[in-house]
Amino acid sequence: MSEEPKQPTFSEAFAEAARRSGFGQVTPGEDPTGQSLLRAIGGVRGLIESILPGLAFLVLFTFTKNLVLSVTAPVAVSVVFVLVRIVTRSAVMPAIAGLLGVGVSAGLALFTGRAEDNFVVGIVINIVCLVVLLVSLVARRPLIGVIVGLLTGDGNGYRTDKAKARVVLVATWCWVGLFTARLVFEVPLYLAGQAEILASVKLIMGVPLYAGMLWVTWLLVRAAYRTAPAPAEPDQPSETP
């Protein structure tokens, strides 16, 4: 009888998800470059797929105030992204995830008739991320430490190494600051019904701020997790003839 395939553990599944994320493209210990940072945010294609739907909403709603057109156009753009990935046989899940988010946001805005509800999903995601980060800090398992430990195979090494512990703690608080800043700006604009300004703020505090925080995290963990060079082997004494 053939053996059934082994189901991955939670840690293995979490590690694989981390590798596929931006964190997985930023190898702790290596020197950061513009090219590797671009790769971490999905490359040029990922950058376009992240920015264009939101930009389409901002431009269309600012100039037309037509809610239906403004929220359906980004959905159409996202569908095109999925089709392009299918045709080019690229990884399709990032585009599908983007389409799902844009589609749910558009549906909510059309259901309520309020343009600002197009941003509810993003606000909720920011709240969830912030809560997860804070819970990890309260549990003394800073999320950045958990992720970096899984990516490097270091496990809980940050709990026994003071330098690593300090670095992952600071990095986790930096991400707390990012999501807090987004909510501080976006929630009041949402409550005030300022859809155009909210769209602009989301674009500015979206991919650019995420990329910047990845860079900062990279710099923070680089020194603490830099792989030590292997010790040189002693010279073998030469044999006398």
Side-chain angles (χ1 to χ4, degrees):
M1 295 177 62
S2 60
E3 295 183 0
E4 295 183 0
K6 182 181 178 182
Q7 295 295 323
T9 63
F10 174 78
S11 296
E12 292 170 341
F14 188 86
E16 181 61 26
R19 292 188 192 99
R20 294 178 179 273
S21 71
F23 284 103
Q25 308 301 319
V26 179
T27 305
E30 75 174 23
D31 293 328
T33 64
Q35 183 178 4
S36 51
L37 180 62
L38 182 62
R39 187 175 68 248
I41 59 177
V44 175
R45 175 184 288 183
L47 192 61
I48 293 173
E49 291 176 353
S50 299
I51 293 176
L52 197 55
L55 183 62
F57 172 89
L58 174 61
V59 172
L60 290 172
F61 191 75
T62 298
F63 288 100
T64 69
K65 295 297 187 292
N66 186 317
L67 177 61
V68 175
L69 176 63
S70 300
V71 299
T72 55
V75 174
V77 170
S78 298
V79 170
V80 171
F81 290 151
V82 173
L83 294 176
V84 168
R85 282 183 176 264
I86 292 175
V87 170
T88 58
R89 297 186 178 182
S90 304
V92 73
M93 285 309 300
I96 291 178
L99 173 60
L100 181 63
V102 172
V104 172
S105 298
L108 184 59
L110 291 174
F111 178 76
T112 63
R114 291 163 25 111
E116 57 270 24
D117 285 338
N118 188 53
F119 303 96
V120 168
V121 172
I123 290 174
V124 170
I125 290 174
N126 286 325
I127 292 174
V128 170
C129 291
L130 178 59
V131 170
V132 170
L133 286 162
L134 290 175
V135 168
S136 76
L137 289 168
V138 172
R140 296 186 178 181
R141 300 290 193 282
L143 186 59
I144 300 304
V146 175
I147 294 174
V148 174
L150 289 171
L151 291 176
T152 59
D154 189 49
N156 292 325
Y158 68 91
R159 302 193 67 199
T160 56
D161 186 310
K162 290 184 178 180
K164 292 179 180 179
R166 185 163 52 249
V167 162
V168 299
L169 181 64
V170 171
T172 302
W173 275 111
C174 286
W175 285 94
V176 167
L178 181 148
F179 291 110
T180 300
R182 285 180 177 176
L183 292 171
V184 165
F185 282 96
E186 293 178 10
V187 171
L189 291 171
Y190 168 76
L191 295 176
Q194 299 292 328
E196 298 98 322
I197 302 176
L198 181 54
S200 302
V201 169
K202 185 174 181 180
L203 283 174
I204 295 170
M205 303 189 76
V207 174
L209 201 58
Y210 172 76
M213 191 55 63
L214 268 180
W215 186 274
V216 170
T217 303
W218 198 347
L219 294 176
L220 285 172
V221 303
R222 180 179 56 173
Y225 283 85
R226 187 181 295 277
T227 303
E233 295 184 1
D235 294 335
Q236 297 295 329
S238 59
E239 296 182 0
T240 56

